[in-house]
Amino acid sequence: MKTAVPKVYRNYYRQRTANQWLKVKAEVGDPGAIRPFLAGNWKMNMIPRSGVALAARIFDICKDIKDVDIGLAPPFTGLSTLADYIKPDFLRSEYGLGRNVFLLAQDTFFESKGAFTGEISAEMLAAIGVDRVIIGHSDRRTNLGKYFGFGPSIAKRLSRAFLTQELGHLKAKEGVDPQILAALEHLTAEGNQDILAGMARFLEEEMRERAGESDEAIQKKVQACLTHGVQVVLCCGENREAREAQETFSLLDRQLRIGLEVVSPRTAGEVVIAYEPVWAVGEGASPAKPEQISEVHDFIRNLIMDLYGEQIASTIRILYGGNVKPDNIVEIMNIPGVDGALVGGASLKANDFAQIIRFGLNT
Ligand code: PEP
């Protein structure tokens, strides 16, 4: 169902362009003014040593930049090494930077400890100096099924032999939902193999395309971070199918309302939102058009106003992500309502990411 675009939020601070931003430099940091935040998501790239070398090259080109916040998100293995390298005192003396460089993790798990092999908790991230965690990235919301092969295991469970065996077990138990028994009877009946095979293929395809983190898991991760004093970069974004079906706003509304349900007005300041249309992310894709970005950022800010009121809506940062490059960053940052960018591919090239950070400077 198409959701009407709400009345655009009247924002005070978003009228400034990149050049205006330079002119109002003195104002940056005042209560209510929004500091741009340019964050690089390295995804599964960079061994720790290469990450430090990349950061050093970026800082070299960005010496003395104080009016933007910079975020670096190495993979888990690079966090500790980078945390040691980007200590504010060192950044201040070496590069004229300081507390405007933030260490980001790319994900976390919502439990704090226990038998969760391979997972990393927000508490652990806080302990090594992680400032913010990217939560709900589209790579995790939708792509996990592709990699982890949930599809074939579902398909296997929809074979006649497996279901017949299950039916036998369930019939031997008490209190089994009769609807389940009736469905299994039907699916395993002679002559219904085609239905079963079709369903198996359909579910396999669905799982491959869509299986990933749920809104509920994302909400728990947000909560875990805030509980342990780690800030959140909450990603949202529609895939191409949703955009074509004109479901962009209803989908974003759902993703954000669920993700933010555990965020109180007191903790809303610890959250940055990143709008990343899935169809615009990654190699080969094109960035969203300025009017598409503008419309969605207004929608999100309006939603924040509904949830938390005008004061928080006028200060929360809403980033755009999806093929941000040195040659489009100025145009993107000029869009009213865009407070920064979450950058994938271009953040792996020191020159490119440095140019993105320096978007407001003319040199
Ligand atoms: C991302 O993965 O968050 C992203 C925005 O990637 P890219 O900049 O490469 O489109």
Side-chain angles (χ1 to χ4, degrees):
M1 195 191 75
K2 184 177 177 183
T3 310
V5 182
K7 189 163 54 72
V8 166
Y9 172 56
R10 170 178 59 95
N11 60 58
Y12 305 120
Y13 299 104
R14 253 150 237 97
Q15 306 310 325
R16 88 174 60 126
T17 65
N19 286 330
Q20 283 166 335
W21 166 65
L22 253 193
K23 291 189 199 112
V24 293
K25 220 172 171 185
E27 182 203 335
V28 174
D30 287 349
I34 293 191
R35 283 171 70 81
F37 180 38
L38 290 316
N41 175 10
W42 297 353
K43 308 194 183 189
M44 200 176 71
N45 294 291
M46 299 286 148
I47 58 170
R49 242 187 350 219
S50 322
V52 168
L54 173 62
R57 290 203 302 279
I58 294 167
F59 299 151
D60 249 337
I61 311 173
C62 295
K63 276 201 167 106
D64 297 322
I65 291 216
K66 293 201 172 62
D67 299 328
V68 298
D69 287 344
I70 301 167
L72 301 175
F76 284 134
T77 51
L79 286 168
S80 277
T81 313
L82 201 58
D84 288 342
Y85 182 72
I86 62 173
K87 296 261 188 285
D89 286 349
F90 170 74
L91 292 184
R92 192 169 299 114
S93 62
E94 282 299 301
Y95 299 105
L97 300 163
R99 297 208 175 273
N100 56 336
V101 178
F102 294 84
L103 182 64
L104 272 57
Q106 298 174 17
D107 185 33
T108 187
F109 191 59
F110 42 81
E111 297 289 349
S112 58
K113 54 168 79 81
F116 305 102
T117 304
E119 300 293 350
I120 306 279
S121 71
E123 198 174 355
M124 292 166 169
L125 296 175
I128 58 164
V130 168
D131 301 298
R132 295 180 183 155
V133 181
I134 298 171
I135 296 179
H137 190 279
S138 58
D139 286 344
R140 303 198 59 81
R141 278 190 193 262
T142 53
N143 284 338
L144 298 183
K146 284 194 182 81
Y147 308 130
F148 296 145
F150 304 137
S153 75
I154 288 279
K156 215 158 52 208
R157 281 172 176 71
L158 282 180
S159 71
R160 190 158 177 238
F162 183 86
L163 292 185
T164 308
Q165 195 186 18
E166 281 305 290
L167 183 60
H169 291 153
L170 292 177
K171 275 183 171 166
K173 281 191 194 165
E174 277 179 26
V176 176
D177 185 340
Q179 214 173 8
I180 294 180
L181 292 179
L184 290 181
E185 297 269 14
H186 181 71
L187 287 173
T188 51
E190 198 71 54
N192 282 348
Q193 283 94 326
D194 283 356
I195 300 179
L196 199 52
M199 271 187 69
R201 282 221 300 283
F202 172 71
L203 281 177
E204 187 174 352
E205 201 53 33
E206 282 290 295
M207 292 300 277
R208 186 162 45 232
E209 285 307 309
R210 283 175 241 280
E213 285 184 3
S214 64
D215 292 318
E216 288 69 22
I218 287 164
Q219 182 192 81
K220 287 189 197 170
K221 292 180 176 193
V222 170
Q223 185 159 38
C225 285
L226 297 178
T227 303
H228 294 288
V230 182
Q231 297 185 327
V232 168
V233 179
L234 176 60
C235 299
C236 59
E238 80 287 1
N239 58 17
R240 189 175 299 284
E241 208 180 4
R243 177 155 282 268
E244 282 167 3
Q246 302 196 303
E247 284 167 357
T248 298
F249 295 110
S250 54
L251 189 130
L252 291 168
D253 189 83
R254 191 202 73 212
Q255 289 179 340
L256 287 172
R257 277 183 197 275
I258 298 179
L260 293 170
E261 206 178 301
V262 290
V263 179
S264 67
R266 197 177 51 78
T267 52
E270 310 300 311
V271 176
V272 173
I273 292 170
Y275 168 56
E276 297 207 315
V278 183
W279 48 271
V281 169
E283 225 177 305
S286 301
K289 295 196 179 80
E291 43 302 355
Q292 294 171 316
I293 300 175
S294 169
E295 179 181 62
V296 170
H297 278 234
D298 285 337
F299 173 83
I300 295 173
R301 206 169 296 277
N302 200 65
L303 176 64
I304 299 297
M305 190 166 75
D306 272 359
L307 295 173
Y308 300 106
E310 193 161 331
Q311 207 274 331
I312 289 171
S314 67
T315 52
I316 198 160
R317 283 190 283 200
I318 307 176
L319 317 181
Y320 166 76
N323 271 282
V324 172
K325 306 282 180 208
D327 63 4
N328 60 22
I329 183 66
V330 173
E331 185 184 18
I332 288 169
M333 290 303 293
N334 271 333
I335 300 168
V338 174
D339 306 313
L342 183 54
V343 184
S347 72
L348 292 168
K349 297 180 189 141
N351 271 322
D352 285 6
F353 192 50
Q355 292 320 312
I356 289 170
I357 293 169
R358 293 167 59 88
F359 76 91
L361 302 172
N362 297 321
T363 52

